[in-house]
Amino acid sequence: ASRFRGGARPRAPNSMEDCCVVCAEPLTFVAYGPCGHRDACVECVARLRLVMEDKRCVICQRESDVVFVTRAMGDYTETIPAERFDGLRRRADDGELERDAVLGMFFDDRATCAKIRELRGLRCRACGDASAEHGSLKALRAHLREAHGLHHCEVCLEGRKVFVSQQLLYTKQQLDKHKYGGVADKDNAFGRDGFTGHPSCKFCKKFFYDEGQIFHHMQSAHETCHLCRRARPDAYVYYRDYDELERHHRKEHHACLHPDCLAKKFIVFVSANELKNHEGVEHGHAMTKAERKEALRLNDLGFTVGASGGGGGGGVP
Ligand SMILES: [Zn+2]
Ligand SMILES: [Zn+2]
Ligand SMILES: [Zn+2]
Ligand SMILES: [Zn+2]
Ligand SMILES: [Zn+2]
Ligand SMILES: [Zn+2]
Ligand SMILES: [Zn+2]
């Protein structure tokens, strides 16, 4: 029972408008757990809990299965002590509070509960308010496609951490424009200017949500040349896999062709002198022209280094 419901919102004198620490919008309804940190708005907490599967408080990181939602009124915001969170379920059973069981949220305001349920729901926006909830995202997408010719961008569905109801809908043509860019996305899917399409990996033919995600992919799934990177730190050149990188090493730099080093990988030098030096130290002598030729020939024939097993002979102790 909120003391001030319906009345004017009392404010502590001189207090600045409180804002959500996540989205920075003015707080109207807050959601908090037993830790009592009333700093994030109900939409952000709901999004964290459902879309990010994160039930931690944004301030103290304490996880909570249930949170309480109430109107933000500065110092007058209804405060529930930690020990009374256990009683929320009973209060909901008694009809005193609204409950969203999926989110583990308890509301003292019916309209806010309905609003959040709508936000996290799988209703078809094109069909309007009276439309039924779809049982799964797959079912909703099939309906959108068949009934309205509308599509979600699957890259955004995965990478843009908002509710499905907040994801944008595109016709096939708009979707291509959105994904491939060229024409700046008029709807500005990211809330940022100049979106020119999702970046894609030319090797995998796969789209990524943003620069951060494709960078992570390129770094983990593909190879870069450490020598080129050292020479030009801000040029990012990638090779599909190690085989491709190794061809680059041999062509552009001075790679050691000794079977041990080929197996170890990444043994490559900027100059012929450095390579000679390495060969002397590691292998006892610099490889002769004939030896290099033979090593290259065997390698190019597809004798995978290290696969031949025992008794190669001639190894330097
Ligand atoms: Zn927020
Ligand atoms: Zn907290
Ligand atoms: Zn529809
Ligand atoms: Zn997209
Ligand atoms: Zn890739
Ligand atoms: Zn290189
Ligand atoms: Zn070597």
Side-chain angles (χ1 to χ4, degrees):
S2 178
R3 283 163 293 167
F4 301 106
R5 184 171 308 155
R9 293 174 55 188
R11 292 223 140 264
N14 300 326
S15 84
M16 303 224 308
E17 178 121 66
D18 291 324
C19 289
C20 169
V21 294
V22 182
C23 67
E25 293 291 324
L27 278 173
T28 50
F29 281 87
V30 285
Y32 63 92
C35 65
H37 289 118
R38 298 169 297 175
D39 304 86
C41 75
V42 58
E43 284 93 352
C44 285
V45 173
R47 186 171 55 83
L48 285 169
R49 293 174 81 80
L50 190 74
V51 184
M52 315 286 281
E53 295 173 6
D54 187 348
K55 292 182 172 178
R56 290 172 305 166
C57 165
V58 292
I59 302 293
C60 70
Q61 313 288 305
R62 209 168 109 191
E63 201 165 293
S64 179
D65 282 336
V66 294
V67 291
F68 179 63
V69 181
T70 191
R71 185 179 285 279
M73 294 191 292
D75 294 343
Y76 298 95
T77 305
E78 173 141 1
T79 309
I80 294 192
E83 65 273 14
R84 280 182 39 210
F85 270 76
D86 285 343
L88 291 176
R89 285 190 178 86
R90 189 186 39 75
R91 287 175 67 188
D93 291 343
D94 292 347
E96 194 191 328
L97 298 176
E98 292 290 317
R99 164 184 12 217
D100 189 315
V102 172
L103 297 170
M105 288 178 132
F106 293 87
F107 305 75
D108 62 6
D109 183 84
R110 187 180 293 266
T112 305
C113 181
K115 192 180 141 198
I116 295 298
R117 204 165 279 163
E118 183 72 40
L119 200 58
R120 72 162 176 82
L122 295 171
R123 227 180 269 278
C124 170
R125 263 180 290 158
C127 282
D129 288 344
S131 71
E133 188 88 11
H134 289 270
S136 66
L137 177 57
K138 203 173 155 206
L140 171 63
R141 294 186 72 192
H143 164 81
L144 282 165
R145 194 172 54 238
E146 282 149 28
H148 311 288
L150 290 172
H151 309 262
H152 286 116
C153 166
E154 72 274 16
V155 185
C156 284
L157 273 181
E158 204 175 299
R160 191 170 170 238
K161 297 300 182 188
V162 297
F163 291 108
V164 170
S165 70
Q166 296 170 314
Q167 297 281 359
L168 298 176
L169 292 170
Y170 303 94
T171 63
K172 188 87 198 74
Q173 209 180 3
Q174 289 167 335
L175 182 63
D176 284 347
K177 228 185 237 177
H178 161 77
K179 263 172 81 173
Y180 296 96
V183 184
D185 190 1
K186 220 169 85 264
D187 299 316
N188 203 0
F190 298 92
R192 70 176 193 226
D193 293 329
F195 175 69
T196 51
H198 289 294
S200 65
C201 171
K202 63 179 174 186
F203 303 123
C204 304
K205 308 259 181 291
K206 188 175 170 286
F207 285 96
F208 293 86
Y209 181 63
D210 59 15
E211 297 301 327
Q213 290 200 355
I214 195 169
F215 181 73
H216 176 79
H217 167 79
M218 298 310 280
Q219 289 289 325
S220 55
H222 303 294
E223 302 281 353
T224 52
C225 170
H226 66 281
L227 295 179
C228 289
R229 293 273 297 121
R230 203 185 300 155
R232 285 175 300 142
D234 24 283
Y236 288 90
V237 178
Y238 292 96
Y239 300 88
R240 180 189 302 272
D241 49 26
Y242 186 76
D243 281 353
E244 203 168 284
L245 176 62
E246 196 181 82
R247 281 195 287 278
H248 162 80
H249 281 162
R250 283 196 220 156
K251 203 166 147 232
E252 305 295 332
H253 309 293
H254 301 268
C256 178
L257 299 175
H258 192 282
D260 290 351
C261 285
L262 288 175
K264 256 189 253 167
K265 297 182 173 177
F266 303 103
I267 312 295
V268 59
F269 301 89
V270 276
S271 69
N273 271 344
E274 273 182 54
L275 173 61
K276 272 210 176 79
N277 192 32
H278 157 86
E279 287 171 336
V281 172
E282 292 291 321
H283 312 299
H285 70 282
M287 252 189 188
T288 62
K289 269 216 175 89
E291 282 172 327
R292 290 189 70 80
K293 221 172 158 186
E294 180 64 6
L296 276 175
R297 191 184 67 84
L298 288 177
N299 206 252
D300 291 345
L301 276 175
F303 286 93
T304 334
V305 190
S308 57
V316 182

